[in-house]
């Protein structure tokens, strides 16, 4: 699917998620599906939770025992291939990289978008992080109903 249409289908996406009981705490979801010479995710993680190893072409592997969900890898990945996911009661919370304008504000309601670019539902913007560390990549925390855990990928302005 990813070679044919350019996006991962739900079955492939699920292989990148830990069990739901692990997602009671925020954890990085790394959707890096191909072997490429790249490793900022590994070098940016302050907790050594991401391993690529001596061959920079290897795909990253995450240790969920070490990941704190801090989000450093989210704004460090040049491929925008990492988000942080967490489940709280009936909602799923995501930290996602965002590099478009306008930037949403905390409290806004935007569209939640799936990997095909389709509108899923409303997304509540929970917080917006932008500072010298994140450079020009904004990290948006958005929440959607839990049923969209494997579908949500980003947000889009409603206007
Ligand atoms: S979210 Fe933080 S702790 Fe987890 S893998 Fe990314 S950088 Fe490491
Ligand atoms: S930084 Fe991003 S694109 Fe590069 S290897 Fe890590 S997850 Fe893949």
């Amino acid at each position: 699917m990813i070679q044919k249409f350019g996006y991962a289908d739900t079955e492939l996406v699920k292989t990148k998620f830990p069990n739901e009981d692990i997602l009671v705490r925020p954890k990085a979801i790394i959707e890096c599906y191909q072997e490429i010479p790249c490793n900022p995710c590994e070098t940016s993680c302050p907790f050594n939770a991401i391993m690529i190893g001596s061959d920079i072409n290897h795909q990253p592997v995450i240790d969920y025992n070490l990941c704190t969900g801090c989000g450093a890898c989210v704004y460090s990945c040049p491929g925008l291939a990492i988000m942080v996911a967490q489940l709280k009661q009936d909602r799923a919370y995501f930290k996602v990289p965002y590099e478009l304008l306008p930037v949403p504000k905390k409290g806004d309601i935007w569209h939640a978008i799936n990997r095909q670019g389709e509108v899923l539902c409303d997304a509540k913007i929970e917080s917006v992080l932008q500072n010298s560390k994140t450079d020009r990549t904004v990290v948006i925390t958005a929440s959607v109903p839990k049923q969209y855990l494997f579908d949500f990928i980003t947000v889009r302005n409603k206007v």
Side-chain angles (χ1 to χ4, degrees), residues 28 45-47 49-50 62 66-73 84:
C45 178
F47 302 97
I50 299 177
I62 185 162
L66 298 178
C67 176
T68 66
C70 72
C73 55
V84 169

Side-chain angles (χ1 to χ4, degrees), residues 90-94 112 121-124 142-149 152:
D90 61 347
R91 292 188 72 79
Y93 290 73
F94 298 91
C121 60
D122 282 350
K124 182 179 180 190
S143 71
V144 297
K146 179 182 175 181
Q147 70 196 80
Y148 298 115
L149 177 64
F152 175 89

